[in-house]
Amino acid sequence: MAENFVDVMKGKKESIVCKLSSFTKDLVKRNRHILGQIIRVILLLTKQNIPVRGHTEERSNFMAVLQSHALNDPILADHLRNGKENAKYTSPDIQNEIITLCADHVLQCIITQCKEAGYFAIMADEATDCSTKEQLSICIRFLTVNEGRYELNEKFIGFVTCRSIKGVNLAEAIVEYLQDCGLDILKLRAQCYDGAGNMAGKYNGVQALIRERVPLASYVHCKSHCLNLALVHTCKLQCVRTMMKTVQDIGFAFSYSAKRLDAFATELSQDPVSRAQMDGRQKLKTLCETRWMSRTDALTTFTQAFAVVVHALETLEADGDDKAGEHVRAILRFEFILTLVACEQVLSSLVGLTAILQEVNFI
């Protein structure tokens, strides 16, 4: 013992305290490395919109990518093989916690930038998600200065589950969420929604209720939504509605039947002109139910493949498909062809305008 003491004092050996300290540092460094790899995998999956989970935890996308990283990382490989079951940091609960922490960090960075800007605007819209719950999406817009130039920032900050779609409930939800994020509601200078009564109503709409609290928060009706409404009102003609329904029915008919899709593909392979016009697309597109401008691509595809559609339907009719016969007679009518071409031309010419209206820098 005395010899060890002398050696430690002379610096020939490390003391027990130093050894313990060194072991602790190495352990911390190892654990941070492992946790860092786990976080990188989760960020990769979330950035690429790849589901983290799988049918089982062992066969999930998360474990597959993590094990792939472990092939070139001995420390991570040893951890996955020999780590304690209660300290592997790979459980769904840990995954959710890491995702939540990352989301909170991103949100805090956005809020910090917004506070530095001084004033801000909000954009919000409600919709029903796949679980039939009303979700209100909220975005903020603010100016930042970069190298002496002002830049307009448009950031999504979260979804809010709504108890009701009445204007008073939506307004309360928006104000409460902004306050929870740490934003001063009195710094609000503009609010942008669609033209629905519960959002744009003069007395009980969200914009009116928020302006009671913040008089300087001017309301702006979403310009892209205005264009969409103009198209909806303009296209109330029966011939347009009939044409749209026919295109949708035929799109569904070819999309959900292997036999009909095979007939379409066969005809397309024999028509080099239509194949070139479709630019690699192999099937028709269905119409968007709400956004009329999103119908442009579907109508353009249908117009380009019109000859292919006709020949495919005629082939199917000859093979005993009565529904195909009804479709081919409907699309060969002059009124249908004229309406299809006219609508496709009008909508195509407005695609550029729609893109401009949806740009972040559009004011």
Side-chain angles (χ1 to χ4, degrees):
M1 293 293 294
E3 291 178 356
N4 286 333
F5 175 77
V6 172
D7 289 340
V8 169
M9 295 304 294
K10 290 182 176 180
K12 295 180 179 180
K13 292 183 179 180
E14 289 185 344
S15 67
I16 294 177
V17 174
C18 291
K19 289 184 177 180
L20 289 175
S21 177
S22 177
F23 174 78
T24 301
K25 288 180 180 179
D26 291 341
L27 182 61
V28 169
K29 183 178 179 181
R30 182 178 187 276
N31 288 340
R32 284 181 175 176
H33 173 79
I34 293 169
L35 188 58
Q37 291 292 75
I38 291 172
I39 293 174
R40 290 187 187 94
V41 170
I42 291 177
L43 289 178
L44 172 64
L45 295 174
T46 52
K47 285 180 179 179
Q48 297 301 118
N49 290 322
I50 300 173
V52 177
R53 304 283 195 273
H55 293 295
T56 62
E57 184 179 344
E58 294 75 17
R59 299 183 63 184
S60 65
N61 292 325
F62 168 74
M63 290 304 301
V65 178
L66 191 63
Q67 288 169 355
S68 176
H69 281 215
L71 295 176
N72 299 312
D73 190 330
I75 297 176
L76 180 61
D78 178 67
H79 172 74
L80 294 177
R81 284 195 306 267
N82 305 317
K84 296 180 180 179
E85 290 299 325
N86 63 346
K88 281 193 173 182
Y89 313 112
T90 59
S91 70
D93 290 338
I94 295 296
Q95 295 169 24
N96 289 340
E97 185 175 353
I98 291 174
I99 292 172
T100 301
L101 290 172
C102 292
D104 290 342
H105 176 72
V106 172
L107 178 60
Q108 195 54 50
C109 291
I110 294 172
I111 297 303
T112 300
Q113 284 185 313
C114 185
K115 286 181 178 179
E116 292 174 352
Y119 302 100
F120 66 97
I122 62 170
M123 300 188 302
D125 191 19
E126 55 87 17
T128 304
D129 65 10
C130 59
S131 62
T132 66
K133 292 182 179 179
E134 289 292 336
Q135 293 265 346
L136 185 71
S137 62
I138 301 179
C139 298
I140 57 175
R141 287 163 64 94
F142 54 89
L143 289 172
T144 56
V145 181
N146 184 17
E147 297 181 355
R149 298 180 59 185
Y150 286 99
E151 292 183 355
L152 187 58
N153 296 268
E154 183 177 295
K155 303 291 186 181
F156 167 76
I157 59 173
F159 286 112
V160 178
T161 302
C162 307
R163 300 187 301 272
S164 168
I165 59 173
K166 292 182 179 179
V168 61
N169 297 115
L170 294 177
E172 289 176 358
I174 291 174
V175 172
E176 183 179 340
Y177 187 77
L178 292 176
Q179 291 176 338
D180 289 343
C181 289
L183 293 174
D184 183 0
I185 191 66
L186 296 178
K187 299 291 186 180
L188 182 63
R189 288 297 178 267
Q191 41 184 332
C192 178
Y193 318 117
D194 60 23
N198 61 342
M199 303 299 287
K202 185 176 180 181
Y203 300 105
N204 295 314
V206 172
Q207 65 90 14
L209 295 171
I210 289 181
R211 287 189 70 181
E212 288 180 2
R213 299 187 58 173
V214 192
L216 295 177
S218 302
Y219 165 63
V220 178
H221 187 176
C222 174
K223 302 304 181 184
S224 183
H225 186 258
C226 287
L227 176 59
N228 193 64
L229 290 178
L231 290 171
V232 171
H233 291 304
T234 304
C235 297
K236 284 186 175 180
L237 293 173
Q238 185 59 45
C239 61
V240 176
R241 297 170 68 88
T242 301
M243 181 273 294
M244 292 287 187
K245 184 179 184 306
T246 302
V247 170
Q248 185 76 315
D249 290 344
I250 294 175
F252 282 138
F254 280 112
S255 296
Y256 298 106
S257 170
K259 179 181 177 182
R260 290 169 179 164
L261 185 59
D262 182 63
F264 181 86
T266 300
E267 293 294 336
L268 182 62
S269 65
Q270 298 173 1
D271 190 335
V273 176
S274 297
R275 191 166 63 250
Q277 290 179 334
M278 291 185 67
D279 193 25
R281 285 169 290 191
Q282 300 297 316
K283 57 192 297 188
L284 299 177
K285 300 193 68 173
T286 54
L287 301 175
C288 177
E289 295 294 335
T290 55
R291 295 180 60 80
W292 277 62
M293 281 309 305
S294 298
R295 301 184 175 197
T296 305
D297 198 25
L299 294 182
T300 299
T301 302
F302 194 94
T303 303
Q304 294 170 342
F306 187 80
V308 174
V309 173
V310 171
H311 293 154
L313 291 174
E314 289 176 341
T315 301
L316 291 167
E317 182 184 19
D319 197 31
D321 190 335
D322 295 334
K323 196 65 178 178
E326 295 177 13
H327 287 322
V328 74
R329 284 187 287 275
I331 66 176
L332 288 177
R333 294 172 57 243
F334 175 75
E335 184 179 28
F336 174 88
I337 297 173
L338 179 63
T339 307
L340 172 65
V341 173
C343 288
E344 193 273 332
Q345 289 293 318
V346 171
L347 292 178
S348 296
S349 64
L350 294 175
V351 170
L353 175 58
T354 302
I356 292 174
L357 293 176
Q358 295 185 30
E359 286 182 352
V360 173
N361 293 326
F362 177 76
I363 301 178

